[in-house]
Amino acid sequence: SPQGRSKKKSRKHQRFMERRALLEQKGLLSPRGRLGGQQPEPGLEALTALPGGTTVPRCDKVPKPTRTVSAPLSPSASPDSIARHHSVLLAPGSGGSRRVRASSLLLRLGKYVAIDCEMVGTGPQGRLSELARCSVVNYEGDVIYDKYVQPELPIVDYRTRWSGITKQHMKNAIPFKAAQAEILKILKDKIVVGHAIHNDFQALKYFHPKDRTRDTSQIPLLKKRAGLPVRANVSLKNLARQLLHKKIQVGCKGHSSVEDAQTAMELYRLVEVQWEKELAHSLPPRPPSPVSDPSADSSQYLDDQYWPTDLMAGGL
């Protein structure tokens, strides 16, 4: 009769609900009707419930084995942490430079920059060098800053043959202090690459931490690759020709600070893994940088306490 079938269906549904409640209690089944509830434990979705509360593995879903990989570096990692990370990944059986590139590419994109500055002559007979153009590129060589800068003193010698700067460029140049504030904000907490980079920092009236500086004119690995003596003074132009097989700083229109910055980054990347591994054994641990107001960065470096007396006497 319809009434009998209804009772039979009701008892079957009741047994189903009891089994469901039991599975939920054991954590083998997600509670019904909960949106955004807790996910089942890994591997439990591969079990099938049988009458009586028992479970058997299903053949269509098998939990994938987990791979153990090294923890990624955070964007706030200190230079010595980065170097030691390279060293660990380069250890025997770790996968070598392929894992270095894969594990920290995103970190490098925001952590590394290369800089090059062009200077003009000011002061008596144009002997003082002042900033007239500054270019900054990222790890991939993309330009993130490139502006002409008006020196604080009148220009006596444009040095166009080397700097590429002309009077026309100064029409839209920004004041030195404004440029300095913008550039220092970019360089803050970055690892900065450049060739004979102390000249660029001097033009900016700035001192960058040594452990965050990568000077391609001082990397023995590059000189060895080029077949040059380790103690030799080597130009960016020469290294680019020997190692990158490209010509830069040609013609009579002067250097391009963008091209020079990109070239310095290319040279650094040639020996990055091995050089950072060597630095990992030579750099002492560096405490994290204190949190400061970025708007104050440009003024703090002008304080006399940051300037050696012999440099001040040089007329900068």
Side-chain angles (χ1 to χ4, degrees):
S1 66
Q3 187 177 3
R5 285 197 299 270
S6 177
K7 289 182 179 179
K8 185 177 181 180
K9 183 178 180 181
S10 177
R11 287 195 297 272
K12 185 177 180 180
H13 179 71
Q14 185 177 0
R15 288 196 299 270
F16 169 78
M17 293 302 295
E18 289 174 353
R19 287 198 298 271
R20 183 183 182 92
L22 180 62
L23 291 175
E24 289 180 357
Q25 184 179 359
K26 292 184 177 181
L28 301 178
L29 189 67
S30 298
R32 184 177 57 174
R34 278 190 197 173
L35 294 177
Q38 292 183 346
Q39 296 294 325
E41 296 179 16
L44 293 181
E45 68 278 0
L47 299 176
T48 302
L50 293 179
T54 60
T55 58
V56 294
R58 282 165 51 183
C59 297
D60 57 338
K61 288 186 179 181
V62 178
K64 294 182 179 180
T66 57
R67 293 180 58 191
T68 303
V69 296
S70 60
L73 286 167
S74 68
S76 60
S78 62
D80 54 288
S81 297
I82 296 171
R84 288 180 174 85
H85 185 66
H86 280 76
S87 181
V88 169
L89 293 178
L90 283 168
S94 65
S97 60
R98 183 183 302 176
R99 290 186 62 195
V100 173
R101 289 191 295 270
S103 67
S104 57
L105 177 59
L106 291 178
L107 169 71
R108 293 164 178 167
L109 289 175
K111 193 74 176 178
Y112 289 76
V113 296
I115 188 173
D116 187 76
C117 297
E118 301 297 343
M119 278 73 82
V120 294
T122 64
Q125 300 179 351
R127 292 180 179 176
L128 294 179
S129 293
E130 286 200 56
L131 182 67
R133 183 185 181 185
C134 181
S135 302
V136 183
V137 302
N138 65 12
Y139 184 80
E140 295 291 327
D142 301 321
V143 178
I144 56 178
Y145 188 89
D146 182 30
K147 290 186 181 182
Y148 290 97
V149 182
Q150 183 68 54
E152 295 182 301
L153 296 176
I155 299 175
V156 177
D157 184 359
Y158 283 91
R159 304 177 184 175
T160 305
R161 181 180 175 184
W162 297 277
S163 68
I165 306 295
T166 65
K167 187 176 181 179
Q168 187 72 19
H169 293 133
M170 291 297 103
K171 289 185 177 180
N172 296 319
I174 66 173
F176 171 77
K177 288 186 177 180
Q180 183 193 49
E182 293 174 350
I183 297 165
L184 297 194
K185 188 174 182 179
I186 295 173
L187 301 187
K188 181 178 174 61
D189 294 329
K190 299 290 196 305
I191 294 178
V192 185
V193 179
H195 192 84
I197 199 170
H198 61 279
N199 293 322
D200 303 304
F201 291 153
Q202 184 172 322
L204 286 166
K205 299 183 179 179
Y206 168 69
F207 292 97
H208 198 69
K210 185 177 180 180
D211 63 339
R212 296 178 187 265
T213 302
R214 305 290 185 267
D215 192 337
T216 54
S217 70
Q218 302 296 324
I219 303 180
L221 293 170
L222 286 174
K223 297 177 184 179
K224 289 178 181 177
R225 279 203 180 197
L228 300 170
V230 174
R231 296 182 179 274
N233 291 323
V234 57
S235 67
L236 183 67
K237 182 177 182 178
N238 191 13
L239 285 176
R241 183 176 66 252
Q242 296 284 344
L243 301 178
L244 303 176
H245 307 292
K246 75 174 188 177
K247 296 180 180 180
I248 64 171
Q249 302 175 356
V250 296
C252 57
K253 294 185 178 180
H255 302 178
S256 165
S257 52
V258 169
E259 182 181 55
D260 289 355
Q262 290 171 334
T263 302
M265 183 61 83
E266 287 183 67
L267 289 170
Y268 167 74
R269 289 178 62 172
L270 278 181
V271 294
E272 173 189 1
V273 173
Q274 188 177 353
W275 194 33
E276 294 295 340
K277 182 182 177 182
E278 292 180 1
L279 285 176
H281 301 288
S282 62
L283 288 175
R286 175 185 173 86
S289 300
V291 178
S292 60
D293 181 6
S295 63
D297 292 345
S298 60
S299 60
Q300 68 174 346
Y301 295 105
L302 300 181
D303 196 318
D304 289 345
Q305 65 176 314
Y306 291 93
W307 292 90
T309 54
D310 56 341
L311 186 58
M312 293 296 291
L316 286 178

